[in-house]
Amino acid sequence: MKNIIWLFTFLFFLCSCGKEKQEPKDYIEIDMIPLIEGEAKKMPLQEWAKSVRFIPLETNEDILMENVSNILQRGDTLLVHHSQRLSLFNREGEYLYDIGSKGQGPGEFIYLRGVLLHEGLIYAQEQGYRFKVYDWDGNFVKKLVLPHKACGLITYPGKKEMLAYVNNRTGNESVRFYLMKDEQILDSVPNPFIYTKGPGAITQIHIPEFYASRGSLNAFTEVNSDTVYRVDAHLQTHPYVVFNMGKYLYTRQERFNTTAGDMMGTTFNHKHELFALGEIGDNIFIRKGTGNPRNDRTYCYNKQTKEVHKLFLTYPEEGLDFLQGASFVPRTREGLDFFEEASFVPRTILDDKYLVSWEQPDNDENPVLVLVEP
């Protein structure tokens, strides 16, 4: 009898220990496979959104815009990265003035790769590790030179420190981040992803190496990864979202062990790279890291309902001048020409309230900002 009692006590103890070890996950897991393989739900943009606003950006002989790369904001002022220029507009689309200029002078940038904001200043990224810094009146403040291997910055409102991302193009870089204060290295974060290249392996180069989320979501996604990492107030990184992508994930291991046959064939044609664009309310918006927005779709995950949707948000068929002649885009599928309807795909977030994209007319003038409140 005592042996039976002891046996039940032992089994109860094991069950209790098992329950204690089953701690809840501290990250969000999203199954993307059904969405990648399935068709998007098609619906008019105005029907899906709370509000939609179209803002033509002013152009004249002094401000011609061949393309738009990014848009950032400060209050009611929009900073538009376009055509190797940084131009300021108000919320009505009226041109104000430029920030910096292209050239080889002390306050000029040679090549404008990107732009970010930090501590009330504008950081114009020339190369991965070189920046020119301006104030919002357009005055040159300083230059910033990061460690040579750094390829970009992750910044935080209210913090002087920044994380400089170190590219891992060899697969065996020991440092993942440098903790920076201006040009001073305060600390380094080890890289947990080290890979050995096999005989004859080719490493594929990716620029950029990581995608920073937009808006107030302090998060980033590295290339060849299924994980979105959030950065906390102590500048520590933690998994925030993990995408289940199965065979559609182009892994780090594949990147650093690609063969010439892989690159010549169709090995990677079905691979996807996803990153968290940002958050608005309970919704996390997801998009592809590369590719033409015209054949991309809008992915939306709700943290409360845990539902994820793939949306094809179409523009109105009439009434928008910027869509005339461009509302259907030619594509080719299996050797047959067909036309794909233009759709809204968010590319950044403003005010933590609006999804933003932009459309470029055929004449390369007056690009139109599309502000959507979901």
Side-chain angles (χ1 to χ4, degrees):
M1 184 66 178
K2 290 182 180 180
N3 290 338
I4 295 176
I5 293 175
W6 181 88
L7 178 60
F8 276 106
T9 303
F10 179 70
L11 291 174
F12 177 78
F13 173 76
L14 289 179
C15 292
S16 300
C17 290
K19 290 180 180 179
E20 289 177 358
K21 291 181 180 179
Q22 293 177 358
E23 298 176 355
K25 294 178 180 178
D26 56 357
Y27 59 86
I28 298 169
E29 205 166 6
I30 305 177
D31 187 5
M32 299 299 296
I33 296 176
L35 276 72
I36 293 173
E37 296 178 346
E39 293 294 326
K41 181 180 179 181
K42 181 178 178 180
M43 61 191 308
L45 176 61
Q46 277 85 342
E47 181 180 314
W48 175 80
K50 292 180 182 176
S51 66
V52 181
R53 185 181 176 199
F54 300 95
I55 306 175
L57 296 179
E58 176 188 1
T59 59
N60 53 48
E61 59 183 11
D62 296 321
I63 177 71
L64 297 176
M65 306 182 71
E66 295 179 359
N67 57 72
V68 174
S69 302
N70 195 8
I71 297 175
L72 301 98
Q73 71 173 97
R74 185 195 189 205
D76 292 331
T77 304
L78 301 177
L79 175 64
V80 181
H81 172 198
H82 71 97
S83 317
Q84 290 296 301
R85 295 174 66 172
L86 293 174
S87 301
L88 289 182
F89 295 81
N90 64 23
R91 287 295 183 108
E92 303 304 316
E94 296 174 334
Y95 171 69
L96 302 177
Y97 51 87
D98 271 16
I99 299 293
S101 61
K102 189 175 181 179
Q104 299 187 24
E108 299 174 327
F109 41 79
I110 298 174
Y111 177 81
L112 185 58
R113 176 177 164 184
V115 60
L116 66 153
L117 308 180
H118 181 61
E119 290 288 282
L121 296 174
I122 299 167
Y123 285 66
Q125 185 176 12
E126 287 191 290
Q127 296 169 325
Y129 57 95
R130 296 175 60 88
F131 292 79
K132 296 291 174 64
V133 184
Y134 305 89
D135 64 22
W136 284 84
D137 293 324
N139 300 310
F140 174 68
V141 176
K142 61 182 178 181
K143 68 177 182 178
L144 176 66
V145 180
L146 301 178
H148 182 72
K149 290 184 179 181
C151 62
L153 287 172
I154 301 176
T155 63
Y156 310 85
K159 282 189 173 291
K160 295 187 179 297
E161 299 90 352
M162 299 179 282
L163 286 178
Y165 190 86
V166 178
N167 77 57
N168 188 23
R169 293 175 187 168
T170 62
N172 55 16
E173 176 58 53
S174 61
V175 176
R176 190 182 191 186
F177 290 106
Y178 290 115
L179 178 61
M180 308 289 302
K181 187 174 182 180
D182 292 325
E183 294 186 358
Q184 180 184 4
I185 300 177
L186 302 179
D187 202 353
S188 63
V189 180
N191 181 18
F193 307 109
I194 305 297
Y195 295 91
T196 303
K197 293 173 63 174
I202 300 171
T203 297
Q204 294 201 36
I205 302 299
H206 286 260
I207 300 176
E209 288 277 324
F210 74 103
Y211 303 99
S213 299
R214 308 293 169 84
S216 61
L217 178 62
N218 294 325
F220 68 93
T221 310
E222 295 161 293
V223 296
N224 312 110
S225 173
D226 58 1
T227 303
V228 180
Y229 293 93
R230 176 175 255 172
V231 186
D232 64 21
H234 304 290
L235 303 183
Q236 299 296 313
T237 61
H238 308 276
Y240 177 53
V241 176
V242 175
F243 300 121
N244 174 22
M245 298 170 61
K247 66 180 181 180
Y248 298 104
L249 174 64
Y250 180 24
T251 67
R252 290 185 176 94
Q253 185 66 40
E254 289 175 315
R255 173 187 174 185
F256 294 111
N257 285 277
T258 300
T259 67
D262 292 334
M263 297 185 70
M264 295 296 293
T266 60
T267 303
F268 303 118
N269 287 359
H270 66 287
K271 300 292 186 177
H272 285 62
E273 288 187 351
L274 302 173
F275 77 101
L277 179 67
E279 292 184 350
I280 297 179
D282 289 328
N283 293 318
I284 301 175
F285 290 92
I286 303 159
R287 64 160 298 173
K288 289 183 181 179
T290 58
N292 190 328
R294 287 294 192 181
N295 54 19
D296 204 349
R297 296 293 178 257
T298 300
Y299 298 90
C300 177
Y301 174 84
N302 187 282
K303 292 186 288 186
Q304 295 298 323
T305 65
K306 303 187 185 322
E307 294 179 339
V308 58
H309 299 283
K310 180 181 181 181
L311 302 170
F312 182 14
L313 302 173
T314 61
Y315 289 121
E317 294 182 3
E318 299 178 354
L320 295 178
D321 293 339
F322 73 87
L323 288 179
Q324 292 181 3
S327 58
F328 290 89
V329 182
R331 300 282 179 233
T332 301
R333 178 184 295 161
E334 296 179 356
L336 300 175
D337 291 334
F338 72 102
F339 289 87
E340 183 175 272
E341 191 172 356
S343 64
F344 171 81
V345 178
R347 296 195 245 180
T348 191
I349 291 177
L350 297 182
D351 297 329
D352 289 324
K353 181 179 180 180
Y354 299 104
L355 298 170
V356 181
S357 189
W358 43 87
E359 298 293 337
Q360 188 80 32
D362 289 338
N363 59 9
D364 287 335
E365 296 182 359
N366 293 94
V368 177
L369 302 188
V370 187
L371 272 66
V372 174
E373 183 180 3

